[in-house]
Structure formats: structure tokens, C-alpha cells
Amino acid sequence: FSTDCIKNDSDKSKARLALRPCGWKLQQQLWKRDGVKDWPIEVEAGMLSNVATTRFNIDSAIPRITSAFQRDWKLYTLSLAIALTPIPLALFARNFVSFYAIPSASMEPTLLRGDVLVVEKLPGAYQRTKRGDIVLFNPPESLSKIITNNGSKLSSTSLFVKRIVGLPGDQNIRLDDEGNVEINGESAVG
């Protein structure tokens, strides 16, 4: 509402405004406290402070937020907690789980270029690793030099995606002419 169309200040303060409460809680409080049952009620404009003259007044933001928390502090606290919960969870979880997109076709047909992997980074991964698992690792410096010498680029965060074939204790790993892998004289599966 506005009394800007009234030129005289004394007339502005005497203007009668019809008000209706914005929420059912305020309406309920007015019923209990003042016995007001008929809406809208009429008040003189001079009874209202300048802060309360509009919902969109910057000066009224802090009092509105404060009164909202006083009225429904449980609801607002719960809402704020629910809204902020993902932030610490994401910061905590990124130390244990990450997403990686496959940048090349080196693992086809198992993994295609553009596939996204969910990778666990929990401690003890080396002890749980077995033949056939797919792992991500930082390339050794010698392999990085070969790649950059061939004209490809690697960033400092580039990881390699490969399947584990040999394990500690394997004596004889061979790749035949047909591309089959033999480990210790037996055909590798996977």
C-alpha cells in the first residue's frame, strides 16, 4: 500500500488503511490477544512505522527475519540445517569417493570414452585389490615422458584407467599373438 498520492503529511497520517494479516498465525494471535474477528480492520496510516509500510523495504528485512525465527524457530532451524547439510557432507565425501570421466578409448569395449566411474579412495585399497579389478593411478614419470614425446598432453591431475592382470608372486605373464593373456601357464579370465 502507499499514501504517496496524498500531498499533505497530516492528511497522510490520518488516512485509514484496510489491513488483513499475512499469515494464519498472526491472525490467530490477534484473535486471542485483541479479540479481532472481522477482517479487514481499519487503522490510521500514522499508526504504522515507516519500516512496516512495505514488505519490500530493505529496512524491514532484519526485523522480519528476527520475528520469523522467534515465531517458528524450530521450523526455521530445521530448514536451515537441511539446506546446509550437503555442504559438509560433500566436503567430507570427496576424500573417499570421486567421479572420473574416461578420456580415451584405451579400455574399450569394457569402458567407453565418456563413461563416468565412481571411484572409492578408502584406505587399504591395495590390500583388497584382486586380478580383474579396474584401477585408476597416477602414471609413472617414465610413462608420462613417452606420452608427451608422442605429442599427447597430460595434466598434473591426469589418471590412467587400467585392469589389473599381474599380482605379486606371478612368475610368467605372456601375451600371445591373438591378444590372449596367460599367467603362470593358465589363461587369464577377465
Side-chain angles (χ1 to χ4, degrees), residues 6 11-18 41-45 47:
I6 302 173
D11 290 341
K12 279 185 184 181
S13 65
K14 293 178 184 172
R16 298 201 51 86
L17 303 172
I41 59 172
E42 287 188 5
V43 296
E44 289 186 1
M47 292 176 61

Side-chain angles (χ1 to χ4, degrees), residues 21-166:
C22 301
W24 66 271
K25 281 198 169 193
L26 176 61
Q27 194 168 352
Q28 192 177 32
Q29 288 170 356
L30 289 172
W31 283 346
K32 288 179 182 175
R33 189 184 68 204
D34 299 333
V36 176
K37 297 199 189 280
D38 295 327
W39 302 102
I41 59 172
E42 287 188 5
V43 296
E44 289 186 1
M47 292 176 61
L48 301 175
S49 69
N50 290 337
V51 172
T53 57
T54 176
R55 295 189 74 141
F56 306 107
N57 186 340
I58 301 281
D59 296 334
S60 68
I62 300 292
R64 284 181 183 278
I65 292 170
T66 304
S67 68
F69 266 98
Q70 288 172 347
R71 243 186 355 260
D72 293 325
W73 68 270
K74 288 180 184 176
L75 174 71
Y76 284 103
T77 304
L78 179 64
S79 300
L80 191 61
I82 289 171
L84 295 178
T85 297
I87 295 170
L89 286 178
L91 293 174
F92 181 73
R94 75 180 203 167
N95 292 318
F96 301 106
V97 177
S98 293
F99 294 97
Y100 290 99
I102 305 298
S104 68
S106 67
M107 286 289 293
E108 285 185 358
T110 304
L111 299 172
L112 304 175
R113 175 182 273 160
D115 284 352
V116 177
L117 301 179
V118 178
V119 180
E120 71 158 292
K121 299 189 283 186
L122 296 172
Y126 294 118
Q127 290 78 20
R128 294 190 312 271
T129 305
K130 58 188 181 302
R131 184 174 282 118
D133 286 352
I134 295 175
V135 295
L136 278 79
F137 60 94
N138 291 319
E141 190 175 326
S142 59
L143 186 55
S144 297
K145 285 181 182 176
I146 293 170
I147 291 169
T148 53
N149 289 342
N150 287 336
S152 296
K153 293 183 179 179
L154 283 177
S155 71
S156 62
T157 59
S158 292
L159 296 175
F160 276 32
V161 180
K162 300 296 174 202
R163 183 182 305 277
I164 293 179
V165 176

